[in-house]
Amino acid sequence: MLLRKSGSLESTLRSSDITPQQLFEQHQTNRRRFLAGAATLGAAALAARYIPGVIHPETTVHAADQLTVVPSKYNLGDPQTPLAKASSYNNFYEFGTDKPDPAHNAGKLKTSPWPIQITGMVKKPRTINIDDIIHYRPIESRVYRLRCVEAWSMVIPWDGYSLSEFINFCEPLPSAKYIQFFSVVDKKAMELPFGYDWPYKEGLRMDEAMNPLTLLTFGCYGQTLPNQNGAPVRIIVPWKYGFKSAKSIVRFHFTDKQPVTTWNQTDGMEYGFYSNVNPNYDNARWSQAHERRIDSSAFPRSIPTLMFNGYSDQVASMYAGMDLKKFY
Ligand code: MTE
């Protein structure tokens, strides 16, 4: 979405089979075993087929921990995007604006320790650590579609739990109407291209953030997130364009005002606050009627884009009575 270059599940358990304490212990065991993920995934990446102009064949997938995940009801039947593709064709502008850049550069980001600030309209502003929340609720594997405003899409098994659980943990005041996400800024590890007001910022209305679909995401494909996909924690909002899904979050801010977001700030005409996937409303640069689905096939297929990315049943009621062309 470049504007200006100026600048194996280890175990598959039902949630009823496992307690948070077991989850914690299993995770610790997994950590100690620490698989040579880099080597395994690197080989998988090299095996990925080259798609001219779409997938760069050289990629670096950094070492990942296995996660203990439980199945969920969110399990699309669509063919999945292989990990090698999902982790080599990325938007993470802090690490460069070309699709292969994050895979090459994001390994420099240190994701542990990872303090997280909870600020604004909450009972008690505080700083916690990623470990305080990664085991807070069972981690579900949810297969979601993610649709980028650049008119490509992927189908990925994301691992996390509903953001609503975390929001309850934060104890927002009744006056909080929005949540804002701040991504990390690490000047040593990042390129931070000129022309953007870093840190990357995104936000949601509180009802959107509380919608059970909105996922606080710690992993994908049963492993901790590759850095290029937003380690150690990101958001996935599957009915909105991908840029709403902020990566590598270090601060959750609760406010009564619609928060500033990076893309809206950069070009408010093209990137609205809501940015719900909408095939009836084109972006200035990309038609939103169709998308190129990146899955295991050698060449992406063009398929019609669905309203709310196919999640209308779960989300449309939140926008009843709103003019979606005005509130794009
Ligand atoms: N988060 C940060 N911090 N920086 C970014 O550049 N890009 C967004 C979003 N989150 C971005 C970000 C965009 S445009 C998309 S499409 C998705 O991340 C891509 O997520 P993926 O690379 O895991 O597919």
Side-chain angles (χ1 to χ4, degrees):
M1 103 161 160
L2 181 59
L3 279 183
R4 299 171 192 97
K5 227 176 169 173
S6 63
S8 94
L9 305 185
E10 192 166 78
S11 59
T12 302
L13 299 169
R14 292 194 311 268
S15 48
S16 55
D17 293 337
I18 196 158
T19 65
Q21 180 61 26
Q22 283 174 298
L23 282 173
F24 175 78
E25 284 167 7
Q26 190 153 357
H27 183 81
Q28 296 298 93
T29 310
N30 292 340
R31 272 186 108 94
R32 282 190 289 272
R33 279 196 235 133
F34 197 74
L35 302 177
T40 315
L41 295 173
L46 286 174
R49 298 175 70 175
Y50 177 54
I51 301 173
V54 178
I55 299 292
H56 198 281
E58 298 156 26
T59 182
T60 313
V61 178
H62 302 281
D65 278 351
Q66 297 288 304
L67 281 174
T68 300
V69 300
V70 297
S72 84
K73 61 180 179 185
Y74 304 101
N75 201 341
L76 285 183
D78 305 26
Q80 291 182 17
T81 304
L83 170 60
K85 290 185 183 179
S87 58
S88 61
Y89 189 78
N90 299 102
N91 280 330
F92 199 162
Y93 271 34
E94 292 91 321
F95 291 104
T97 55
D98 288 337
K99 294 289 177 284
D101 290 344
H104 288 304
N105 302 330
K108 293 177 211 139
L109 182 69
K110 209 167 155 268
T111 58
S112 176
W114 193 268
I116 295 171
Q117 288 178 278
I118 301 169
T119 61
M121 296 176 159
V122 287
K123 211 166 161 187
K124 192 165 158 265
R126 56 195 153 139
T127 300
I128 56 167
N129 197 283
I130 185 80
D131 292 332
D132 297 330
I133 56 167
I134 194 167
H135 308 297
Y136 180 59
R137 288 285 181 265
I139 294 184
E140 294 177 21
S141 171
R142 297 190 182 180
V143 183
Y144 279 165
R145 300 184 190 98
L146 192 66
R147 167 68 157 77
C148 183
V149 72
E150 298 161 333
W152 51 266
S153 63
M154 297 191 186
V155 176
I156 296 177
W158 297 106
D159 304 322
Y161 54 76
S162 289
L163 178 64
S164 63
E165 306 263 14
F166 174 69
I167 290 179
N168 292 335
F169 169 94
C170 294
E171 299 185 285
L173 301 176
S175 48
K177 301 286 178 263
Y178 297 89
I179 182 169
Q180 187 178 24
F181 313 109
F182 291 81
S183 296
V184 70
V185 168
D186 181 336
K187 290 189 175 152
K188 284 199 193 120
M190 293 171 155
E191 203 172 283
L192 298 172
F194 182 74
Y196 303 89
D197 181 31
W198 307 112
Y200 192 94
K201 293 171 279 301
E202 257 308 334
L204 295 171
R205 216 171 55 185
M206 200 57 89
D207 59 334
E208 299 177 315
M210 293 296 287
N211 186 289
L213 275 179
T214 307
L215 193 69
L216 186 68
T217 310
F218 303 98
C220 56
Y221 303 86
Q223 307 177 0
T224 50
L225 287 165
N227 283 5
Q228 56 267 42
N229 293 90
V233 61
R234 71 176 296 177
I235 297 297
I236 296 291
V237 197
W239 72 95
K240 292 180 180 281
Y241 293 118
F243 64 87
K244 296 296 292 180
S245 295
K247 296 180 170 181
S248 304
I249 298 171
V250 289
R251 183 176 161 208
F252 294 85
H253 182 69
F254 294 84
T255 169
D256 57 355
K257 312 236 164 17
Q258 184 176 302
V260 167
T261 67
T262 293
W263 283 105
N264 186 246
Q265 196 177 30
T266 309
D267 186 345
M269 296 295 283
E270 286 197 46
Y271 307 103
F273 176 79
Y274 286 94
S275 287
N276 293 312
V277 174
N278 188 342
N280 307 313
Y281 184 56
D282 289 343
N283 171 284
R285 229 165 315 173
W286 297 279
S287 160
Q288 299 301 339
H290 289 83
E291 65 202 57
R292 285 175 297 125
R293 174 59 57 82
I294 298 173
D295 57 21
S296 57
S297 53
F299 297 96
R301 289 167 294 132
S302 177
I303 55 174
T305 288
L306 303 173
M307 188 66 204
F308 294 117
N309 205 20
Y311 297 97
S312 291
D313 288 355
Q314 292 107 306
V315 304
S317 62
M318 291 192 291
Y319 309 101
M322 273 177 78
D323 178 351
L324 295 179
K325 286 199 172 171
K326 187 168 169 210
F327 297 101
Y328 58 92

